Amino acid sequence: MTQISQSNLEIFSKLSGDFNPIHLNEEFGKNSYFGGQIVYGIYQVFLLLEHFLKNKKIKKVIKIQNLKASFINPLFKNSKFKIKKISDKNFIKYEIISEDKILTKIEFKFLNDENQISYENLSFSKYDAILNPSQKGENLKEKLAYDLKIFKKIFPLCSLYLHTQNIVVLLASTRIVGMKIPGLHSIYSNLNLDFSKANEEQTLSYNYEKHHSIDCFLINILSPCKGSIKAFIRPKLVENLNFEQLSLKYQDILKNQNFKDQKALIIGASKGLGNTCTKILALGGAKILATYHSKKIQENIPNCSFIKYDTLKPSKISIEKIKKFNPTHIYYFATPKISVQNNHLNRDILIQFLDYYIFGLDQILNFTQPCSITSSSSSFVEDLPLDMKEYSIAKAAMEIYMQYLKKQKNIEINMPRFPRAKTNQTLSLIPQDLKETDELITSMLLKKDIK
């Protein structure tokens, strides 16, 4: 197992000229579609080639003839991963795997080729990203250059035994995707390069086109090699309506003060459904104690106090504050990161969901006595999507747990099955028809059918 550090990413940025903050800035990464700072895709390609060269018995310069790479799931900075060899027949095939999830696939063919090409010795400095600088179809050029000393620091074997043309083209590809097409909001998806009939041009020529219905760019490599790159635009993070916008949209709730008799404890109020629920309850006159895990809520919400709270390991201070508040109603929206899984049931992921959805709530009930608990289940309990087994099973278990609470403690339970809501948990590269969080929350609070 190994991992990639911040210093290595910063070295690679100067080497490649790709200064995209998704790779370099931890705070930017946390607030992005991925939820973390990720390792460059092309860094991973060099890493796999470095691994191959380490185990290659005959130490001669090789030139990659054909190279394919797919970046399936993000590799996060400082995350542990392993490299797995799949095949060494016609195509050499490797995978990067973390927690039994395939992150990256690469396959290539090579020839021994000592005829190196000289390129300008150049390290790059940070410059502003250029989004879509040219019209569709126009041929563009990118300088082919690299700094051998910098390259040698992180990929010593590639610096000795990988053909220079392979090196400079791969570095130019990440510079184009991360800084130009599509730019700072890019996701490098895959590449397919053919060097078998490459010329010795000192610039990379390319053009591109955008998909007609989704935010996807196809970059066509014209010279010195042939090939293509697919890159997506990262979806923008969802911003819930603020308190003033909701007060205009739901004037009846503001007027009727539907929740004025409630002392509401809201777990998971910093984003998504919990954030919207906090503002709707405040709109209706509730007195609120709202919790956040790491990101403090910046918005001013009437009759609302905020405390930091760890669902799995609550501090004594936070427990005492909740005890003192003595809630009559609990609104429970604690959840871990939800992501698509593979076809095999993952025990660790299932246990994590159960810890959040059941044991986290059960722990709160050890020091509170609410008359009502509200949370949301999911339509996945009925639909049973094959790539969301752990989440669906945990939500179904939470529904049963809630029924026990109703039977044992005589607590009023409100737990509707929501369709997919428009939150940062459900962001996708593919356009979706999702429900707005405020529409789902108001239907839940007012106990109306979800339309």
Side-chain angles (χ1 to χ4, degrees):
M1 298 290 279
T2 186
Q3 55 197 88
I4 308 301
S5 68
Q6 176 71 24
S7 62
N8 280 355
L9 294 175
E10 290 176 359
I11 292 170
F12 189 78
S13 70
K14 296 174 184 176
L15 173 68
S16 65
D18 183 353
F19 295 92
N20 195 315
I22 192 66
H23 305 299
L24 301 171
N25 188 298
E26 187 170 355
E27 191 63 27
F28 184 94
K30 283 181 180 179
N31 294 319
S32 75
Y33 167 73
F34 294 107
Q37 188 179 340
I38 64 172
V39 177
Y40 296 88
I42 297 302
Y43 188 111
Q44 297 174 58
V45 172
F46 282 121
L47 194 69
L48 291 169
L49 292 172
E50 189 81 2
H51 183 83
F52 166 73
L53 291 168
K54 182 179 179 181
N55 294 286
K56 188 174 180 290
K57 293 179 181 178
I58 301 174
K59 300 301 182 183
K60 289 185 177 181
V61 174
I62 67 166
K63 184 174 184 180
I64 303 295
Q65 296 294 291
N66 301 95
L67 172 68
K68 295 180 181 179
S70 297
F71 309 109
I72 302 165
N73 290 295
L75 171 61
F76 294 103
K77 182 188 77 171
N78 294 330
S79 293
K80 292 183 179 180
F81 64 90
K82 59 184 178 181
I83 295 173
K84 182 179 180 181
K85 190 172 187 178
I86 306 300
S87 170
D88 59 0
K89 296 181 180 179
N90 292 334
F91 272 87
I92 311 296
K93 296 183 180 181
Y94 282 97
E95 292 177 348
I96 291 179
I97 299 172
S98 179
E99 298 179 347
D100 296 325
K101 185 188 292 186
I102 298 173
L103 307 184
T104 301
K105 291 184 177 183
I106 178 176
E107 59 180 72
F108 61 93
K109 289 198 299 188
F110 71 92
L111 294 174
N112 291 325
D113 189 347
E114 301 282 350
N115 298 315
Q116 293 280 35
I117 303 172
S118 296
Y119 295 93
E120 183 179 345
N121 189 16
L122 176 68
S123 59
F124 294 88
S125 58
K126 190 172 182 178
Y127 58 90
D128 292 333
I130 305 169
L131 297 179
N132 305 334
S134 301
Q135 296 299 314
K136 174 182 173 182
E138 183 178 342
N139 287 355
L140 306 168
K141 292 187 180 296
E142 185 67 29
K143 188 180 187 67
L144 294 175
Y146 80 119
D147 188 316
L148 178 58
K149 288 184 179 179
I150 295 178
F151 189 70
K152 194 173 184 178
K153 285 182 181 179
I154 45 179
F155 306 115
L157 295 176
C158 286
S159 70
L160 291 172
Y161 302 116
L162 183 61
H163 200 280
T164 51
Q165 188 174 73
N166 296 147
I167 295 170
V168 292
V169 168
L170 287 170
L171 291 173
S173 77
T174 191
R175 188 161 63 251
I176 291 167
V177 171
M179 304 300 288
K180 296 184 177 181
I181 311 295
L184 284 184
H185 302 287
S186 62
I187 299 174
Y188 202 139
S189 177
N190 60 56
L191 79 156
N192 186 348
L193 298 175
D194 181 358
F195 291 91
S196 61
K197 296 180 181 179
N199 58 47
E200 297 189 4
E201 288 288 334
Q202 296 287 306
T203 57
L204 186 147
S205 299
Y206 67 100
N207 60 28
Y208 71 95
E209 56 185 337
K210 186 179 180 299
H211 192 278
H212 62 89
S213 61
I214 60 176
D215 286 334
C216 174
F217 288 82
L218 183 65
I219 301 167
N220 302 301
I221 306 300
L222 308 174
S223 178
C225 61
K226 303 292 183 184
S228 63
I229 298 169
K230 186 182 286 185
F232 290 87
I233 295 179
R234 292 196 309 273
K236 291 182 180 180
L237 293 181
V238 175
E239 292 188 9
N240 290 334
L241 295 179
N242 61 36
F243 183 80
E244 290 185 7
Q245 291 168 323
L246 290 170
S247 65
L248 293 173
K249 186 173 181 179
Y250 297 103
Q251 295 184 32
D252 287 347
I253 294 177
L254 180 63
K255 178 181 177 182
N256 297 331
Q257 294 290 282
N258 302 68
F259 316 116
K260 63 182 179 181
D261 298 325
Q262 294 189 21
K263 292 179 68 179
L265 170 65
I266 305 174
I267 304 295
S270 62
K271 52 192 174 183
L273 294 167
N275 179 260
T276 298
C277 184
T278 302
K279 287 178 273 195
I280 296 291
L281 287 170
L283 193 63
K287 185 178 180 181
I288 298 168
L289 180 63
T291 76
Y292 63 93
H293 181 256
S294 56
K295 188 176 180 181
K296 190 171 182 180
I297 302 166
Q298 301 298 322
E299 188 177 354
N300 291 323
I301 302 173
N303 299 317
C304 182
S305 299
F306 303 103
I307 63 167
K308 187 172 184 178
Y309 185 82
D310 187 331
T311 303
L312 304 185
K313 294 180 180 179
S315 67
K316 290 182 180 180
I317 294 174
S318 63
I319 289 173
E320 289 303 316
K321 287 182 178 179
I322 291 173
K323 280 183 180 179
K324 186 176 180 181
F325 182 71
N326 191 23
T328 59
H329 293 66
I330 293 177
Y331 295 86
Y332 193 78
F333 297 100
T335 187
K337 174 74 173 176
I338 301 170
S339 61
V340 171
Q341 302 301 319
N342 56 36
N343 290 330
H344 301 291
L345 188 66
N346 188 304
R347 183 177 183 272
D348 292 337
I349 293 174
L350 177 58
I351 289 173
Q352 184 184 46
F353 278 127
L354 293 173
D355 280 342
Y356 272 90
Y357 295 157
I358 295 177
F359 294 103
L361 175 56
D362 192 67
Q363 191 166 213
I364 293 172
L365 296 178
N366 289 331
F367 53 86
T368 61
Q369 293 181 317
C371 63
S372 173
I373 299 175
T374 297
S375 188
S376 62
S377 185
S378 170
S379 59
F380 286 179
V381 174
E382 301 167 55
D383 301 338
L384 302 177
L386 293 177
D387 56 357
M388 297 290 285
K389 290 191 294 295
E390 295 85 358
Y391 173 75
S392 304
I393 291 168
K395 280 294 185 181
M398 187 180 183
E399 288 186 12
I400 296 172
Y401 167 69
M402 289 290 205
Q403 292 306 311
Y404 273 109
L405 293 179
K406 182 177 181 180
K407 184 176 182 179
Q408 288 181 311
K409 298 178 179 286
N410 197 30
I411 297 174
E412 180 187 5
I413 299 297
N414 185 17
M415 193 176 178
R417 289 179 180 173
F418 281 172
R420 286 172 67 86
K422 190 176 179 181
T423 69
N424 290 325
Q425 292 271 33
T426 58
L427 285 177
S428 172
L429 301 174
I430 308 300
Q432 304 177 91
D433 183 19
L434 302 176
K435 292 287 185 181
E436 297 290 342
T437 57
D438 58 287
E439 294 171 3
L440 291 173
I441 290 296
T442 52
S443 67
M444 178 179 73
L445 296 178
L446 301 177
K447 297 183 180 179
K448 295 180 179 180
D449 291 335
I450 297 169
K451 297 180 181 179

